[in-house]
Amino acid sequence: MAEKFSGTSFPAALDGGAHDVQFLDTTLRDGEQAPGVSLTADQKATVARKLDAAGVSVVEAGSACTSAGERETIRRVTGLDLDATVTSFCRGVKRDVELALDCGVDGVNLVVPASDRHVEGKVGTSRESVLDTTRELVEYATDHGLWVEVIGEDGSRADDSFLDELAETSADAGADRFCVADTVGHASPERVYDLVASASEYGPVSVHTHDDLGLAVTNALAGVAAGADLVHATVNGVGERAGNVALEEVAVALWHCYDLEPVDTEQLYDLASTVAEATGVPLPPNKAVSGENAFAHESGIHTDGTLKDDRMYEPYPPEAVGRERRLVLGKHAGRAGVRAALAEHDVEVTDDELADVVERVNELGERGKRVTDADLLAVADDVRGDGRDRRVEVLDLTAASGGGTPTASVRLRVDDDEYSAAGTGSGPVDAAMTAVRDALGDVTFHLEEYHVDAITGGTDAVVTVHVTVSRGDRTVTVDASDADITAASVTAVVEALDRLLPEQEAATAAD
Ligand SMILES: [Zn+2]
């Protein structure tokens, strides 16, 4: 019979915070190397500030040798005066270190080839010469007051004894640390464990993992268990090929499983959303920690269980990572879930009404439709037979895009008042949205999601616009269809706002 897993297990090494673990975030360098990703200086500054606020220790801001534009974006980050150590990636050439110094960085991530494939095949040199260059450059960088990490590129495919020599040479030359890099996401957790444990004989070690085998988080934890005290990661795991290890996933695993909290987990969702928006790489709905469905419960039984005990179908509360639980309605929706969803909008129904609402929600779900909050409220209004008073309504909309700057004007009613405004934009829809925002003034909102489905046909086809709009901590998703895309867009947003504004006090309504 097989024995239970024991010995030098991850928990044995990690439990009770055997040693401190910190993060090096490389979203702005390795993450930016993902196909199609390019961040502006402003975007880098925003992400860097949030990483710093969350408690990330080292922010790798870019690669100074890339271009003058890249150096400008690195300077924006070094100019922020963060608590974090700000570094630049440098190849094993002196010029790269000089360019990094020009950007005012605190440190450098000096990458030198470790595997023979890289030593001979890519750089065309010898192991001896790699050791010499490493020694020289580490001394040069430390002489200039830089924090220095030596990364042995492709370390997981290197000869073990050479990786050790590289770690020893780096430490002897005065490097602050050595990084074991699983550059192509090739290693097993045991391999990472062994390499990190061995390199740790010479000094502090970092671990850099990629997700090509889906092992990035496991391998990062294996590295930590073996003694690594700095984990390289990117937010959302953005990076080349299958990506780097996701910072939020390692952070949550360290916190939830091992009681270590190197970063403020409550800021993880905001970081994830910020990076998804800046990189244009959307979050998969089933992504751990930050995916749309990570804390959503749809099926009747799960919803019922969750309402009885929040933790029933969740490993940890969504608030721990800055999120909220969502109950999603569809063909599996049950009475408890529907009643709870209505209660979120302060709608109370009798048992008979509830049965009708559930039946109609299930019917919508069976037709493959996702039941939005607005759908649910419309169904409830219908069942209760008391068409709710609208608070916001479109009275008039005109848009023009021929020949000049696209412009639009709207006239809206909010309660008893009328507001109008005109706006310009990159197209008529954008112009109309600007006009709506202007007309509404203080009634601010956030357009979380916007997309359009055209029903196939001619150019007169009806389009359906889907919007997700939030105000404070409330969010609604609404669809609107029209032959005119601008009209559909404005209708959807205004409908969403109508749902998001609290119902007027009864006294005012009765006047
Ligand atoms: Zn990498």
Side-chain angles (χ1 to χ4, degrees), residues 236 271-283:
N236 301 339
L271 256 176
S273 313
T274 303
V275 168
E277 201 174 311
T279 56
V281 181
L283 293 165

Side-chain angles (χ1 to χ4, degrees), residues 10 14 188-190 192-193 196 207 217-228:
F10 296 174
L14 281 166
S188 66
E190 291 79 5
V192 172
Y193 188 99
V196 170
V207 62
V217 174
T218 311
N219 284 346
L221 294 178
V224 171

Side-chain angles (χ1 to χ4, degrees), residues 455-463 482-484:
I455 291 151
T456 49
T459 48
D460 59 349
V462 166
V463 295
D482 200 295
D484 176 347

Side-chain angles (χ1 to χ4, degrees), residues 9 32 60 99 104 107 127 175 178 191 210 219 247 277 287-288 291 305 309 330 341 359 410 505:
S9 64
E32 209 197 18
E60 192 178 9
L99 289 169
R127 291 185 185 183
F178 181 75
R191 172 86 179 143
H210 277 266
N219 284 346
L247 182 135
E277 201 174 311
K287 165 96 174 53
D309 172 357
E359 193 183 319
V410 291
E505 296 297 319

